[in-house]
Amino acid sequence: MTTLADTATPAGARGLYREGLVVPTSGHAPGFTQANLVVLPRDWAYDMLLFGQRNPQPVPLLDVTDAGSTSTALAPGADLRTDLPRYRVWRDGELVDEPSDVTDLWRDDLVSFLIGCSFSFERALLDAGVPVRNIEQERNVSMYRTNRECRPAGRLAGPLVVSMRPIPAAQVATAVQVTARMPQVHGAPVHVGSPESLGIADVDRPDFGEPVESAPGDVPVYWACGVTPQAALMDSRPPFAITHAPGHMFVTDVPDSAYRQF
Amino acid sequence: MTTLADTATPAGARGLYREGLVVPTSGHAPGFTQANLVVLPRDWAYDMLLFGQRNPQPVPLLDVTDAGSTSTALAPGADLRTDLPRYRVWRDGELVDEPSDVTDLWRDDLVSFLIGCSFSFERALLDAGVPVRNIEQERNVSMYRTNRECRPAGRLAGPLVVSMRPIPAAQVATAVQVTARMPQVHGAPVHVGSPESLGIADVDRPDFGEPVESAPGDVPVYWACGVTPQAALMDSRPPFAITHAPGHMFVTDVPDSAYRQF
């Protein structure tokens, strides 16, 4: 019998989700990397792997499993079918269900992609004294489809999706330096200021997540976002896919420091 | 008619190789990245792509082409079938030919992998005042199979191959810092000193390349090596493969600085 009392450790948090706790993972197992999950049939896995290779800023692949495997090198004791608090199930590019367990849907031909997440660099920004407005306001970060296309890979194509954080003008350079040191969790911003040149018509109306308020003197700073592969799945419509539900990430055993360079 | 006078520029060098010049590419088009080439049938491409994802230090994938394509984003005007000075052709893991043109062997199902090369970081070492003994001695670098296994991917498995450079003890730290900034061209050393713990019985008898003499006070420093995928091909025996011939690299249009962080 597993008795895991709290969400302070990766194994503890995953144990609670496995036992039925359904909550966003923000703030759980502090100091450990959380990851986006995309699961696809083997027939589509080559396209996804190539999409990641060609678009490493939005799709930084931290691990790719063998077909049918339910475990990952990022957390050897975890079960990918049960250890996220909530999943999304997609058929032909349409969202059809949001279960908390996908054991019944698992197949021998499924390949899991674990993808870096900006939660890791938000902690690094806070450590460097840079305010993170979405955390202050207890909101999901604002995300936008842009007018930039990812480099396509086989049947997978779609726009670059970015997350935006308002950063005080005097701290933009620090935010760039801190996140540039973490290329496996999206790295340096792709764009600073000028939302219109990214094709963003109204910063207050994000395509995903929630509006986040800027303070006077803040500049909008844009990072490549892990929602990019989900946007490509929606556009490219593979017959079957599983992902994490937004904000309900896979908590790994890897310390954030492992993805911090220098 | 192409008239390309010399090897100082990437397009000039590639033009000469295309017209029949067969020489090692060391020192050609200085300041531009040179790449290892591995070409495999589409049936084996997923395994190779996954092998690179799982072993990024020895197999840093700079570009992966669409099946059948003869061009790469790293040098849009180049033809991968003709623009390397010399190729190697492999059947069932055995070297069968070393032609200077592979146009006749090209097939619609071939996928090309362009892989980072230590030539890029040797220049960075020299720029930082660190001597590179194999360049001083005009020899190929020493390379060794190690007792470390790469993480397998499908049918591909094999040992980590390392290159060794003797570095003055007082400059080992500089060599680490300089190369750590270039993760896409093998990055920081995997090992410093102690060849026996890598399973290297005799440093003077490398498995690939040539012996390189150490100066008094030099320490052997080991980097992950781009020969690693060739060793995996030899061990795993795909029915057909093309690679560059050792030292006869693909000269890209990408400046080395593009792969230098900070």
Side-chain angles (χ1 to χ4, degrees), chain B residues 119-159:
Chain B
F119 284 8
S120 299
F121 77 61
E122 287 186 343
R123 179 171 310 277
L125 288 171
L126 291 171
D127 288 348
V130 178
V132 178
R133 302 298 185 206
N134 50 298
I135 293 178
E136 289 174 356
Q137 296 166 32
E138 296 186 353
R139 293 182 195 171
N140 197 349
V141 71
S142 303
M143 293 165 274
Y144 310 84
R145 285 176 170 255
T146 69
N147 58 10
R148 289 207 214 165
E149 287 297 310
C150 290
R151 235 185 113 189
R155 294 158 289 183
L156 281 177

Side-chain angles (χ1 to χ4, degrees), chain B residues 121-138 141 164-176 178-179 212-221 223:
Chain B
F121 77 61
E122 287 186 343
R123 179 171 310 277
L125 288 171
L126 291 171
D127 288 348
V130 178
V132 178
R133 302 298 185 206
N134 50 298
I135 293 178
E136 289 174 356
Q137 296 166 32
E138 296 186 353
V141 71
M164 185 279 285
R165 290 168 188 77
I167 304 284
Q171 290 178 286
V172 169
T174 301
V176 170
V178 165
T179 56
V212 172
E213 282 163 37
S214 294
D218 282 356
V219 173
V221 179
W223 280 268

Side-chain angles (χ1 to χ4, degrees), chain A residues 42 45-47 49-50 53-54 61-66 73 111 113 151-154 177 180-181 183 261-262, chain B residues 42 45-47 49-50 53-54 61-66 73 111 113 151-154 177 180-181 183 261-262:
Chain A
R42 173 67 182 81
Y46 182 74
D47 292 354
L49 190 50
L50 192 58
Q53 198 282 327
R54 290 181 175 174
L61 296 172
L62 304 184
D63 192 33
V64 179
T65 66
D66 290 327
V111 177
F113 297 82
R151 238 185 111 190
Q177 290 173 287
R181 284 183 205 125
Q261 298 186 337
F262 292 71
Chain B
R42 172 65 181 83
Y46 182 75
D47 292 356
L49 189 50
L50 192 59
Q53 198 282 326
R54 291 182 176 174
L61 296 172
L62 303 185
D63 192 34
V64 180
T65 66
D66 291 325
V111 176
F113 296 83
R151 235 185 113 189
Q177 290 173 284
R181 285 180 205 128
Q261 298 185 338
F262 294 68

Side-chain angles (χ1 to χ4, degrees), chain B:
Chain B
M1 197 190 84
T2 326
T3 311
L4 294 158
D6 61 44
T7 59
T9 67
R14 291 193 305 263
L16 288 172
Y17 312 147
R18 189 163 57 238
E19 289 164 10
L21 180 67
V22 179
V23 289
T25 54
S26 177
H28 291 190
F32 291 89
T33 297
Q34 300 192 15
N36 300 278
L37 176 70
V38 172
V39 182
L40 282 168
R42 172 65 181 83
D43 173 51
W44 279 74
Y46 182 75
D47 292 356
M48 188 68 208
L49 189 50
L50 192 59
F51 193 72
Q53 198 282 326
R54 291 182 176 174
N55 301 284
Q57 269 197 297
V59 194
L61 296 172
L62 303 185
D63 192 34
V64 180
T65 66
D66 291 325
S69 172
T70 59
S71 68
T72 163
L74 304 180
D79 187 326
L80 292 168
R81 300 168 299 183
T82 57
D83 285 9
L84 283 76
R86 192 185 287 284
Y87 299 81
R88 284 187 156 181
V89 181
W90 307 80
R91 294 193 190 273
D92 300 314
E94 302 290 336
L95 176 63
V96 296
D97 198 9
E98 292 199 291
S100 62
D101 183 310
V102 291
T103 305
D104 290 347
L105 296 168
W106 208 259
R107 308 177 345 193
D108 283 348
D109 69 335
L110 294 181
V111 176
S112 296
F113 296 83
L114 285 306
I115 300 168
C117 164
S118 60
F119 284 8
S120 299
F121 77 61
E122 287 186 343
R123 179 171 310 277
L125 288 171
L126 291 171
D127 288 348
V130 178
V132 178
R133 302 298 185 206
N134 50 298
I135 293 178
E136 289 174 356
Q137 296 166 32
E138 296 186 353
R139 293 182 195 171
N140 197 349
V141 71
S142 303
M143 293 165 274
Y144 310 84
R145 285 176 170 255
T146 69
N147 58 10
R148 289 207 214 165
E149 287 297 310
C150 290
R151 235 185 113 189
R155 294 158 289 183
L156 281 177
L160 172 69
V161 177
V162 294
S163 62
M164 185 279 285
R165 290 168 188 77
I167 304 284
Q171 290 178 286
V172 169
T174 301
V176 170
Q177 290 173 284
V178 165
T179 56
R181 285 180 205 128
M182 306 183 78
Q184 286 159 301
V185 290
H186 303 306
V190 294
H191 202 84
V192 179
S194 185
E196 60 282 4
S197 61
L198 272 183
I200 298 170
D202 185 349
V203 174
D204 296 328
R205 299 181 61 180
D207 296 306
F208 309 93
E210 296 177 274
V212 172
E213 282 163 37
S214 294
D218 282 356
V219 173
V221 179
Y222 300 88
W223 280 268
C225 177
V227 170
T228 302
Q230 286 197 35
L233 292 180
M234 284 184 256
D235 286 6
S236 306
R237 313 176 77 79
F240 181 71
I242 298 169
T243 66
H244 68 287
H248 298 65
M249 317 303 288
F250 178 64
V251 178
T252 78
D253 290 345
V254 182
D256 282 331
S257 60
Y259 297 119
R260 216 175 285 193
Q261 298 185 338
F262 294 68

Side-chain angles (χ1 to χ4, degrees), chain A residues 41-244:
Chain A
R42 173 67 182 81
D43 173 50
W44 279 73
Y46 182 74
D47 292 354
M48 188 68 209
L49 190 50
L50 192 58
F51 193 71
Q53 198 282 327
R54 290 181 175 174
N55 301 283
Q57 269 197 297
V59 193
L61 296 172
L62 304 184
D63 192 33
V64 179
T65 66
D66 290 327
S69 173
T70 58
S71 67
T72 164
L74 304 180
D79 187 325
L80 292 169
R81 300 168 298 182
T82 57
D83 286 8
L84 283 75
R86 192 187 286 284
Y87 300 82
R88 284 187 157 182
V89 180
W90 306 80
R91 293 195 190 272
D92 300 315
E94 303 288 336
L95 176 63
V96 296
D97 198 10
E98 291 198 291
S100 62
D101 183 309
V102 291
T103 304
D104 291 347
L105 297 167
W106 208 258
R107 308 178 344 194
D108 283 348
D109 69 336
L110 294 182
V111 177
S112 297
F113 297 82
L114 286 305
I115 300 168
C117 165
S118 60
F119 284 7
S120 300
F121 77 60
E122 287 186 344
R123 178 171 309 276
L125 288 171
L126 291 171
D127 287 351
V130 178
V132 178
R133 303 297 184 205
N134 50 299
I135 292 178
E136 290 175 355
Q137 296 166 32
E138 296 186 352
R139 293 183 195 171
N140 196 349
V141 70
S142 303
M143 292 165 273
Y144 309 86
R145 285 176 170 256
T146 70
N147 58 9
R148 289 207 215 166
E149 287 296 309
C150 290
R151 238 185 111 190
R155 293 159 289 183
L156 281 178
L160 171 69
V161 177
V162 294
S163 62
M164 185 279 284
R165 290 168 188 78
I167 304 285
Q171 290 178 287
V172 170
T174 301
V176 170
Q177 290 173 287
V178 165
T179 56
R181 284 183 205 125
M182 306 183 79
Q184 286 159 301
V185 290
H186 303 306
V190 293
H191 201 85
V192 178
S194 186
E196 61 281 5
S197 60
L198 272 182
I200 298 171
D202 185 350
V203 174
D204 295 330
R205 300 182 60 181
D207 296 306
F208 309 93
E210 296 177 274
V212 173
E213 282 163 38
S214 295
D218 281 356
V219 173
V221 178
Y222 300 88
W223 280 268
C225 177
V227 170
T228 302
Q230 285 199 33
L233 292 180
M234 283 185 256
D235 287 6
S236 307
R237 312 177 79 80
F240 181 70
I242 297 169
T243 66
H244 70 285

